[in-house]
mmCIF file with all atom_site columns, all heavy atoms in Angstrom:
data_model
loop_
_atom_site.group_PDB
_atom_site.id
_atom_site.type_symbol
_atom_site.label_atom_id
_atom_site.label_alt_id
_atom_site.label_comp_id
_atom_site.label_asym_id
_atom_site.label_entity_id
_atom_site.label_seq_id
_atom_site.pdbx_PDB_ins_code
_atom_site.Cartn_x
_atom_site.Cartn_y
_atom_site.Cartn_z
_atom_site.occupancy
_atom_site.B_iso_or_equiv
_atom_site.pdbx_formal_charge
_atom_site.auth_seq_id
_atom_site.auth_comp_id
_atom_site.auth_asym_id
_atom_site.auth_atom_id
_atom_site.pdbx_PDB_model_num
ATOM 1   N N     . PHE A 1 62  ? 3.824  -4.039 170.564 1.00 0.00 ? 62  PHE A N     1
ATOM 2   C CA    . PHE A 1 62  ? 5.252  -3.752 170.596 1.00 0.00 ? 62  PHE A CA    1
ATOM 3   C C     . PHE A 1 62  ? 6.094  -5.009 170.717 1.00 0.00 ? 62  PHE A C     1
ATOM 4   O O     . PHE A 1 62  ? 6.842  -5.183 171.643 1.00 0.00 ? 62  PHE A O     1
ATOM 5   C CB    . PHE A 1 62  ? 5.583  -2.776 171.713 1.00 0.00 ? 62  PHE A CB    1
ATOM 6   C CG    . PHE A 1 62  ? 5.188  -1.393 171.356 1.00 0.00 ? 62  PHE A CG    1
ATOM 7   C CD1   . PHE A 1 62  ? 4.015  -0.852 171.847 1.00 0.00 ? 62  PHE A CD1   1
ATOM 8   C CD2   . PHE A 1 62  ? 5.971  -0.638 170.494 1.00 0.00 ? 62  PHE A CD2   1
ATOM 9   C CE1   . PHE A 1 62  ? 3.640  0.420  171.485 1.00 0.00 ? 62  PHE A CE1   1
ATOM 10  C CE2   . PHE A 1 62  ? 5.595  0.628  170.140 1.00 0.00 ? 62  PHE A CE2   1
ATOM 11  C CZ    . PHE A 1 62  ? 4.427  1.162  170.637 1.00 0.00 ? 62  PHE A CZ    1
ATOM 12  N N     . ASP A 1 444 ? 27.151 15.502 233.338 1.00 0.00 ? 444 ASP A N     1
ATOM 13  C CA    . ASP A 1 444 ? 26.513 16.446 234.259 1.00 0.00 ? 444 ASP A CA    1
ATOM 14  C C     . ASP A 1 444 ? 25.113 15.991 234.638 1.00 0.00 ? 444 ASP A C     1
ATOM 15  O O     . ASP A 1 444 ? 24.733 15.996 235.814 1.00 0.00 ? 444 ASP A O     1
ATOM 16  C CB    . ASP A 1 444 ? 26.428 17.837 233.628 1.00 0.00 ? 444 ASP A CB    1
ATOM 17  C CG    . ASP A 1 444 ? 27.809 18.372 233.287 1.00 0.00 ? 444 ASP A CG    1
ATOM 18  O OD1   . ASP A 1 444 ? 28.794 17.712 233.682 1.00 0.00 ? 444 ASP A OD1   1
ATOM 19  O OD2   . ASP A 1 444 ? 27.883 19.419 232.629 1.00 0.00 ? 444 ASP A OD2   1
ATOM 20  N N     . ASN A 1 469 ? 28.329 34.720 220.333 1.00 0.00 ? 469 ASN A N     1
ATOM 21  C CA    . ASN A 1 469 ? 28.366 33.270 220.420 1.00 0.00 ? 469 ASN A CA    1
ATOM 22  C C     . ASN A 1 469 ? 28.460 32.770 221.854 1.00 0.00 ? 469 ASN A C     1
ATOM 23  O O     . ASN A 1 469 ? 27.738 31.885 222.279 1.00 0.00 ? 469 ASN A O     1
ATOM 24  C CB    . ASN A 1 469 ? 29.552 32.754 219.609 1.00 0.00 ? 469 ASN A CB    1
ATOM 25  C CG    . ASN A 1 469 ? 29.566 31.246 219.567 1.00 0.00 ? 469 ASN A CG    1
ATOM 26  O OD1   . ASN A 1 469 ? 28.537 30.632 219.335 1.00 0.00 ? 469 ASN A OD1   1
ATOM 27  N ND2   . ASN A 1 469 ? 30.709 30.672 219.816 1.00 0.00 ? 469 ASN A ND2   1
ATOM 28  P P     . G   B 2 35  ? 34.534 21.355 226.997 1.00 0.00 ? 35  G   B P     1
ATOM 29  O OP1   . G   B 2 35  ? 34.545 21.362 228.449 1.00 0.00 ? 35  G   B OP1   1
ATOM 30  O OP2   . G   B 2 35  ? 35.402 20.487 226.227 1.00 0.00 ? 35  G   B OP2   1
ATOM 31  O "O5'" . G   B 2 35  ? 33.009 21.077 226.651 1.00 0.00 ? 35  G   B "O5'" 1
ATOM 32  C "C5'" . G   B 2 35  ? 32.491 21.225 225.401 1.00 0.00 ? 35  G   B "C5'" 1
ATOM 33  C "C4'" . G   B 2 35  ? 31.091 20.695 225.416 1.00 0.00 ? 35  G   B "C4'" 1
ATOM 34  O "O4'" . G   B 2 35  ? 30.891 19.693 226.445 1.00 0.00 ? 35  G   B "O4'" 1
ATOM 35  C "C3'" . G   B 2 35  ? 30.056 21.760 225.745 1.00 0.00 ? 35  G   B "C3'" 1
ATOM 36  O "O3'" . G   B 2 35  ? 29.442 22.267 224.600 1.00 0.00 ? 35  G   B "O3'" 1
ATOM 37  C "C2'" . G   B 2 35  ? 28.992 21.048 226.568 1.00 0.00 ? 35  G   B "C2'" 1
ATOM 38  O "O2'" . G   B 2 35  ? 27.758 20.843 225.768 1.00 0.00 ? 35  G   B "O2'" 1
ATOM 39  C "C1'" . G   B 2 35  ? 29.525 19.627 226.729 1.00 0.00 ? 35  G   B "C1'" 1
ATOM 40  N N9    . G   B 2 35  ? 29.218 19.157 228.078 1.00 0.00 ? 35  G   B N9    1
ATOM 41  C C8    . G   B 2 35  ? 30.018 19.115 229.187 1.00 0.00 ? 35  G   B C8    1
ATOM 42  N N7    . G   B 2 35  ? 29.430 18.605 230.237 1.00 0.00 ? 35  G   B N7    1
ATOM 43  C C5    . G   B 2 35  ? 28.149 18.304 229.794 1.00 0.00 ? 35  G   B C5    1
ATOM 44  C C6    . G   B 2 35  ? 27.052 17.735 230.485 1.00 0.00 ? 35  G   B C6    1
ATOM 45  O O6    . G   B 2 35  ? 26.990 17.363 231.656 1.00 0.00 ? 35  G   B O6    1
ATOM 46  N N1    . G   B 2 35  ? 25.941 17.606 229.665 1.00 0.00 ? 35  G   B N1    1
ATOM 47  C C2    . G   B 2 35  ? 25.893 17.982 228.335 1.00 0.00 ? 35  G   B C2    1
ATOM 48  N N2    . G   B 2 35  ? 24.728 17.795 227.724 1.00 0.00 ? 35  G   B N2    1
ATOM 49  N N3    . G   B 2 35  ? 26.906 18.506 227.679 1.00 0.00 ? 35  G   B N3    1
ATOM 50  C C4    . G   B 2 35  ? 28.003 18.629 228.465 1.00 0.00 ? 35  G   B C4    1
ATOM 51  P P     . G   B 2 38  ? 25.682 25.268 213.002 1.00 0.00 ? 38  G   B P     1
ATOM 52  O OP1   . G   B 2 38  ? 25.659 24.771 211.620 1.00 0.00 ? 38  G   B OP1   1
ATOM 53  O OP2   . G   B 2 38  ? 26.916 25.256 213.791 1.00 0.00 ? 38  G   B OP2   1
ATOM 54  O "O5'" . G   B 2 38  ? 25.081 26.751 213.029 1.00 0.00 ? 38  G   B "O5'" 1
ATOM 55  C "C5'" . G   B 2 38  ? 23.893 27.035 212.308 1.00 0.00 ? 38  G   B "C5'" 1
ATOM 56  C "C4'" . G   B 2 38  ? 23.583 28.511 212.401 1.00 0.00 ? 38  G   B "C4'" 1
ATOM 57  O "O4'" . G   B 2 38  ? 23.232 28.836 213.767 1.00 0.00 ? 38  G   B "O4'" 1
ATOM 58  C "C3'" . G   B 2 38  ? 24.735 29.447 212.087 1.00 0.00 ? 38  G   B "C3'" 1
ATOM 59  O "O3'" . G   B 2 38  ? 24.852 29.652 210.705 1.00 0.00 ? 38  G   B "O3'" 1
ATOM 60  C "C2'" . G   B 2 38  ? 24.307 30.716 212.795 1.00 0.00 ? 38  G   B "C2'" 1
ATOM 61  O "O2'" . G   B 2 38  ? 23.305 31.391 212.077 1.00 0.00 ? 38  G   B "O2'" 1
ATOM 62  C "C1'" . G   B 2 38  ? 23.705 30.132 214.082 1.00 0.00 ? 38  G   B "C1'" 1
ATOM 63  N N9    . G   B 2 38  ? 24.730 30.022 215.114 1.00 0.00 ? 38  G   B N9    1
ATOM 64  C C8    . G   B 2 38  ? 25.211 28.878 215.701 1.00 0.00 ? 38  G   B C8    1
ATOM 65  N N7    . G   B 2 38  ? 26.154 29.101 216.576 1.00 0.00 ? 38  G   B N7    1
ATOM 66  C C5    . G   B 2 38  ? 26.307 30.489 216.571 1.00 0.00 ? 38  G   B C5    1
ATOM 67  C C6    . G   B 2 38  ? 27.185 31.309 217.316 1.00 0.00 ? 38  G   B C6    1
ATOM 68  O O6    . G   B 2 38  ? 28.021 30.981 218.148 1.00 0.00 ? 38  G   B O6    1
ATOM 69  N N1    . G   B 2 38  ? 27.005 32.655 216.990 1.00 0.00 ? 38  G   B N1    1
ATOM 70  C C2    . G   B 2 38  ? 26.107 33.130 216.079 1.00 0.00 ? 38  G   B C2    1
ATOM 71  N N2    . G   B 2 38  ? 26.091 34.452 215.896 1.00 0.00 ? 38  G   B N2    1
ATOM 72  N N3    . G   B 2 38  ? 25.281 32.368 215.374 1.00 0.00 ? 38  G   B N3    1
ATOM 73  C C4    . G   B 2 38  ? 25.441 31.072 215.671 1.00 0.00 ? 38  G   B C4    1
ATOM 74  P P     . C   B 2 75  ? 2.995  12.781 165.558 1.00 0.00 ? 75  C   B P     1
ATOM 75  O OP1   . C   B 2 75  ? 2.097  12.293 164.506 1.00 0.00 ? 75  C   B OP1   1
ATOM 76  O OP2   . C   B 2 75  ? 2.527  13.825 166.499 1.00 0.00 ? 75  C   B OP2   1
ATOM 77  O "O5'" . C   B 2 75  ? 3.508  11.547 166.427 1.00 0.00 ? 75  C   B "O5'" 1
ATOM 78  C "C5'" . C   B 2 75  ? 3.833  10.314 165.812 1.00 0.00 ? 75  C   B "C5'" 1
ATOM 79  C "C4'" . C   B 2 75  ? 4.409  9.362  166.829 1.00 0.00 ? 75  C   B "C4'" 1
ATOM 80  O "O4'" . C   B 2 75  ? 5.555  9.995  167.469 1.00 0.00 ? 75  C   B "O4'" 1
ATOM 81  C "C3'" . C   B 2 75  ? 3.496  9.021  168.004 1.00 0.00 ? 75  C   B "C3'" 1
ATOM 82  O "O3'" . C   B 2 75  ? 2.564  8.005  167.683 1.00 0.00 ? 75  C   B "O3'" 1
ATOM 83  C "C2'" . C   B 2 75  ? 4.500  8.583  169.050 1.00 0.00 ? 75  C   B "C2'" 1
ATOM 84  O "O2'" . C   B 2 75  ? 4.977  7.282  168.791 1.00 0.00 ? 75  C   B "O2'" 1
ATOM 85  C "C1'" . C   B 2 75  ? 5.631  9.580  168.822 1.00 0.00 ? 75  C   B "C1'" 1
ATOM 86  N N1    . C   B 2 75  ? 5.484  10.765 169.701 1.00 0.00 ? 75  C   B N1    1
ATOM 87  C C2    . C   B 2 75  ? 5.942  10.664 171.020 1.00 0.00 ? 75  C   B C2    1
ATOM 88  O O2    . C   B 2 75  ? 6.449  9.598  171.385 1.00 0.00 ? 75  C   B O2    1
ATOM 89  N N3    . C   B 2 75  ? 5.814  11.727 171.849 1.00 0.00 ? 75  C   B N3    1
ATOM 90  C C4    . C   B 2 75  ? 5.256  12.854 171.405 1.00 0.00 ? 75  C   B C4    1
ATOM 91  N N4    . C   B 2 75  ? 5.156  13.868 172.258 1.00 0.00 ? 75  C   B N4    1
ATOM 92  C C5    . C   B 2 75  ? 4.774  12.983 170.068 1.00 0.00 ? 75  C   B C5    1
ATOM 93  C C6    . C   B 2 75  ? 4.908  11.928 169.263 1.00 0.00 ? 75  C   B C6    1
ATOM 94  P P     . A   B 2 77  ? -1.797 7.001  173.327 1.00 0.00 ? 77  A   B P     1
ATOM 95  O OP1   . A   B 2 77  ? -2.038 8.136  172.425 1.00 0.00 ? 77  A   B OP1   1
ATOM 96  O OP2   . A   B 2 77  ? -2.024 7.140  174.766 1.00 0.00 ? 77  A   B OP2   1
ATOM 97  O "O5'" . A   B 2 77  ? -2.634 5.765  172.809 1.00 0.00 ? 77  A   B "O5'" 1
ATOM 98  C "C5'" . A   B 2 77  ? -2.043 4.651  172.171 1.00 0.00 ? 77  A   B "C5'" 1
ATOM 99  C "C4'" . A   B 2 77  ? -2.020 3.466  173.107 1.00 0.00 ? 77  A   B "C4'" 1
ATOM 100 O "O4'" . A   B 2 77  ? -0.843 2.688  172.806 1.00 0.00 ? 77  A   B "O4'" 1
ATOM 101 C "C3'" . A   B 2 77  ? -1.858 3.805  174.582 1.00 0.00 ? 77  A   B "C3'" 1
ATOM 102 O "O3'" . A   B 2 77  ? -3.095 4.144  175.190 1.00 0.00 ? 77  A   B "O3'" 1
ATOM 103 C "C2'" . A   B 2 77  ? -1.231 2.545  175.145 1.00 0.00 ? 77  A   B "C2'" 1
ATOM 104 O "O2'" . A   B 2 77  ? -2.185 1.549  175.355 1.00 0.00 ? 77  A   B "O2'" 1
ATOM 105 C "C1'" . A   B 2 77  ? -0.332 2.127  173.999 1.00 0.00 ? 77  A   B "C1'" 1
ATOM 106 N N9    . A   B 2 77  ? 1.030  2.626  174.218 1.00 0.00 ? 77  A   B N9    1
ATOM 107 C C8    . A   B 2 77  ? 1.445  3.889  174.570 1.00 0.00 ? 77  A   B C8    1
ATOM 108 N N7    . A   B 2 77  ? 2.737  4.007  174.706 1.00 0.00 ? 77  A   B N7    1
ATOM 109 C C5    . A   B 2 77  ? 3.213  2.733  174.410 1.00 0.00 ? 77  A   B C5    1
ATOM 110 C C6    . A   B 2 77  ? 4.505  2.186  174.374 1.00 0.00 ? 77  A   B C6    1
ATOM 111 N N6    . A   B 2 77  ? 5.606  2.890  174.637 1.00 0.00 ? 77  A   B N6    1
ATOM 112 N N1    . A   B 2 77  ? 4.633  0.889  174.061 1.00 0.00 ? 77  A   B N1    1
ATOM 113 C C2    . A   B 2 77  ? 3.527  0.190  173.793 1.00 0.00 ? 77  A   B C2    1
ATOM 114 N N3    . A   B 2 77  ? 2.253  0.585  173.786 1.00 0.00 ? 77  A   B N3    1
ATOM 115 C C4    . A   B 2 77  ? 2.179  1.884  174.111 1.00 0.00 ? 77  A   B C4    1
#
Side-chain angles (χ1 to χ4, degrees):
Chain A
F62 284 100
D444 300 352
N469 185 46

